[in-house]
Every structure is written in C-alpha cells, then in structure tokens.
Amino acid sequence: MELVSEGIGQLNEKYGLYPDRGYIKGVYSIDDPYIYDIFSVNQNNKEAPITRLTRRKRPEDIVLYGRSLHVYTFINGLINRGVKPERISLVLPPKTFEKKKEFASNQERWDYEDMLVWDPPAFEDEKIEEKVLQIIEKLGVKVLPNLKLNAFETDKDNTLQAVRFKRYGENGEPIEKKVKVVEEEDEDEDSEQEKLQGEYGIEDEEGEGEENEEEEEEEEEESDELELKTRLFVTSRTNDIDLAFFFAIHENGLVYNGRLIVKKNFQTTDPAIFAAGRLCEFSQRYKNQAIGTPLRLDKYSGREVGQKLSRSVMEHIGLLAPEVNENETEEELPVFFMPQGVGGVLPHDLFYYYIRKIEWARPKLTVNLYS
C-alpha cells in the first residue's frame, strides 16, 4: 500500500470546496493510476487534455502544483508530447520544513523523517533543484514560488475555471495585504502646476483630484492572493493516505495509527489481508528484538519488500513451503539488504538517479552490529 499525493476528493474536504458536488472536472492528482492514459497522445477526443493543450487554435494552459520529483518528470512528459513550455505554469508551495543534518534527540530525528515521508524533497541536494528550476525557466515554463492552494473556481457544471493561491513569504508566513503609501508631491511642484493651470485656463472639477488619489491607492494595493485562469490543474503536493484505502482499513477493523500495522510476514490483524509499502509499519512487539532496525517500511527498498510480501502470501496459501531457520526467533523481523533508489527523466531530457544504502536510517551505534 502506497501513499499518494492529495487527491481531489481530499482537497475538496480539506478546503471545504463543494463537498456535496464531488470531484471537480479538470483537476487531477499526479498519483492517479490512470494519469498516463488521461494525458495520452493517442486520443481522438477533442476534449482530451493533451488535445486541448496542443491544438493550433486557442490552446489551453495547464497549472502544476507541487515540488516533488514527479512534477518535474511530468513537465518533461508534457513537453515531449508537444505541449509548449509557455503553456505550463509550475506553482511551488512553501516548504513545510527546513532540511537538517543534526538532531538534538532521537525523537527530533524521527519527527523529521516523518516529514520526509509526507512531504519528500524532489532532490537530495537543494542545489540540484535550483539548477533544474533555472533550466525549465529558460525553456519557457512559468515558475511561481511560495504559493499555497486556497480555492477552486468552477462553473455550474463543476468544471474548473480558475485556481486561487495564497501568497507566502520566504519565511513560510502568509503575506498580508499591504497598501503602499504614495508620497506627496513637493509644494514647489504643486504651485508650478497651479500656475500652468491658471495660465491655460484649466480647472479641476470638484472632487476629481480626490478620486484620482483613491484610484492610485487602489492600484498600489498588493493582493495577498493570486488567481490563475485554467481548466487543467495537476496536484503533486504532500503525500497522504488515499480515502478509499482509509475507509477500507477502518471498515475491516485493521489497526492503523498513522501507519497500517503488520506482522513480520506482512499479515494484518485480519489473517486474510496482507499489506506492505510506505503506508505500513511492523508491529511494536518486534521493537526490543530489532534494536536499530526501522519498523517503518518506507525505509526499505520497495522491490525487496514486494518480493518478501509475495513469498509470505504464497506460503500462506500453500504454494510455497515456509522457510525454516533454526536460529530465528518468533520476534525477529525479516532482513533487508537492497538499497533504495529513486530516479526520473527531467526537462531537457536530463536523467536523475539517487541511491542510498540501507544503513542510512540506522543509529550510528548499531551500524557495526550489522556489518
């Protein structure tokens, strides 16, 4: 089971946006399993998103929201499918935390690692992200930083028409409305203007000067919101549990405390239900026997976890004989060796791949025990 970017139903409920009207047409999550088909080129439908973005007459714009690796690879996919970079706007939400390397306590480190799961950075090195942003801006993509999704504007058919964002500062605090004070002109300039008006017989109508001043002040007012007109919006924001999975977990009486709790063979409290992935965590009963071994499955290679899950299921249904290890105790967790890797093709057809070894999450004092 995997965490997904906030889906449209979740956004509606979170922001109170039309909860009685269901999904908004034109709004997609980048983790939608059908996202590839939705933006496929081989479509004869004139209303298909990729057709609307690439047609010759009045092509539409698309807004992407998020700062994950997925959103950068999605931009590359759009460009390779014929979408002009000028039609793409990338909205970067404010960072939810600052990157840290030193921690005052284990609890502080665990809390930090939790934030990495729910809001993972696109790249391990921030300098790489800066370079990638420079590249996509040179290509023509509009980059709008420090904006947080605030509301959707729809028509009577619940079709997206515009998206409103709240402005945030570099410090992560929302920007309040500010009115710039227009400096008064010097007396010498005023008297000179009056002299010219008298010379040419020009007189101000009563109240006209005051109205002009008010208009100038209104123009100088800086809004704390930004509205983007668009009928296509893709979100790649913080990870969260899919609502359908969440309801299924509770309806089946499974143990969930921020993670779905599983046994060492990936079995839940229901013997017929097995689970694995970033959403899952081994039970705390293994804590004493697994000193220095992370219980959360997001710390391990998804490929290796999937292999061990498959074996457990096949053993459960009798297709494989259980492995017998005389030295293994009942409270021992499976051992993982494979490193974690993440990668993708970025705009300008740049290949990015990052690999880290399995020991990255273990306390330093316990690393030698596994060497």
Side-chain angles (χ1 to χ4, degrees):
M1 301 181 72
E2 286 294 308
L3 300 168
V4 297
S5 295
E6 287 179 317
I8 307 315
Q10 291 166 306
L11 286 171
N12 288 342
E13 183 175 328
K14 182 174 180 180
Y15 294 98
L17 305 171
Y18 321 117
D20 57 328
R21 290 165 61 181
Y23 289 84
I24 299 174
K25 298 175 185 176
V27 184
Y28 307 94
S29 170
I30 209 163
D31 285 315
D32 188 326
Y34 302 103
I35 194 73
Y36 180 85
D37 296 330
I38 293 170
F39 285 87
S40 174
V41 178
N42 301 321
Q43 296 185 24
N44 297 321
N45 184 5
K46 293 182 180 179
E47 291 302 313
I50 203 69
T51 305
R52 290 154 54 188
L53 290 168
T54 56
R55 61 193 179 196
R56 292 184 178 180
K57 293 184 178 180
R58 301 179 65 184
E60 296 187 19
D61 296 334
I62 184 171
V63 177
L64 309 179
Y65 178 65
R67 58 189 323 136
S68 68
L69 180 61
H70 296 293
V71 79
Y72 292 108
T73 56
F74 192 81
I75 291 174
N76 185 63
L78 290 176
I79 294 174
N80 288 341
R81 284 167 171 75
V83 180
K84 293 183 178 179
E86 295 79 12
R87 295 288 170 190
I88 304 172
S89 295
L90 173 60
V91 177
L92 299 175
K95 294 182 179 179
T96 56
F97 62 91
E98 292 296 328
K99 192 169 182 180
K100 298 177 67 174
K101 293 184 178 179
E102 297 181 357
F103 306 94
S105 64
N106 285 337
Q107 186 61 49
E108 185 179 338
R109 177 175 180 169
W110 295 333
D111 292 341
Y112 176 77
E113 289 176 357
D114 255 357
M115 290 188 290
L116 291 178
V117 173
W118 303 112
D119 189 13
F123 308 97
E124 190 67 20
D125 191 339
E126 294 181 352
K127 292 181 180 179
I128 298 178
E129 184 174 17
E130 293 175 4
K131 186 65 177 178
V132 172
L133 287 173
Q134 291 174 6
I135 290 173
I136 64 176
E137 282 187 297
K138 286 183 179 179
L139 289 174
V141 176
K142 303 180 190 73
V143 178
L144 306 169
N146 297 322
L147 295 172
K148 191 172 184 179
L149 180 62
N150 194 26
F152 294 121
E153 295 288 341
T154 63
D155 60 13
K156 61 181 181 180
D157 297 323
N158 207 22
T159 300
L160 182 68
Q161 299 297 316
V163 187
R164 294 206 309 269
F165 298 93
K166 177 78 174 177
R167 296 181 188 272
Y168 278 71
E170 294 292 339
N171 57 356
E173 296 295 328
I175 295 177
E176 303 298 334
K177 286 186 178 180
K178 296 179 180 178
V179 178
K180 294 183 180 179
V181 179
V182 181
E183 295 183 0
E184 296 181 358
E185 295 181 353
D186 295 338
E187 291 183 2
D188 295 338
E189 292 179 359
D190 290 339
S191 59
E192 190 173 324
Q193 187 175 3
E194 290 174 1
K195 196 181 293 182
L196 289 172
Q197 288 176 351
E199 187 176 339
Y200 292 97
I202 300 174
E203 294 183 1
D204 283 346
E205 294 182 7
E206 188 175 348
E208 184 178 350
E210 294 178 1
E211 290 178 3
N212 290 339
E213 287 178 6
E214 290 177 2
E215 289 176 3
E216 286 179 4
E217 286 186 2
E218 288 177 2
E219 290 176 359
E220 292 293 337
E221 186 176 344
E222 182 181 349
S223 174
D224 61 344
E225 284 192 351
L226 175 68
E227 182 176 291
L228 296 178
K229 301 289 184 182
T230 183
R231 294 176 62 197
L232 292 170
F233 180 79
V234 179
T235 173
S236 180
R237 191 59 183 108
T238 52
N239 292 325
D240 203 349
I241 181 174
D242 184 81
L243 285 179
F245 279 134
F246 183 76
F247 291 137
I249 289 171
H250 281 273
E251 288 172 2
N252 286 279
L254 306 182
V255 179
Y256 181 85
N257 62 353
R259 299 283 197 288
L260 179 61
I261 305 302
V262 297
K263 300 177 183 177
K264 67 174 185 177
N265 64 341
F266 307 101
Q267 194 176 43
T268 64
T269 51
D270 187 328
I273 299 178
F274 290 74
R278 292 185 295 170
L279 178 61
C280 302
E281 178 181 350
F282 288 122
S283 172
Q284 292 291 322
R285 61 185 287 193
Y286 306 109
K287 189 174 183 179
N288 293 333
Q289 292 292 331
I291 298 175
T293 301
L295 298 179
R296 294 176 179 177
L297 298 186
D298 58 83
K299 301 294 188 291
Y300 304 110
S301 167
R303 179 180 177 183
E304 190 176 18
V305 169
Q307 291 172 349
K308 293 184 182 296
L309 170 65
S310 300
R311 182 170 187 87
S312 294
V313 173
M314 295 177 75
E315 288 177 358
H316 179 74
I317 61 180
L319 294 179
L320 281 178
E323 291 183 337
V324 179
N325 187 349
E326 296 179 356
N327 298 324
E328 183 180 359
T329 65
E330 187 180 348
E331 305 299 322
E332 281 189 13
L333 291 175
V335 180
F336 297 94
F337 298 98
M338 292 180 64
Q340 284 184 301
V342 61
V345 184
L346 305 175
H348 218 288
D349 289 332
L350 298 174
F351 289 83
Y352 172 79
Y353 207 80
Y354 178 76
I355 304 174
R356 60 187 171 197
K357 60 183 180 179
I358 196 67
E359 292 177 349
W360 75 275
R362 290 180 182 149
K364 291 181 179 179
L365 294 177
T366 65
V367 170
N368 295 332
L369 298 177
Y370 295 88
S371 300

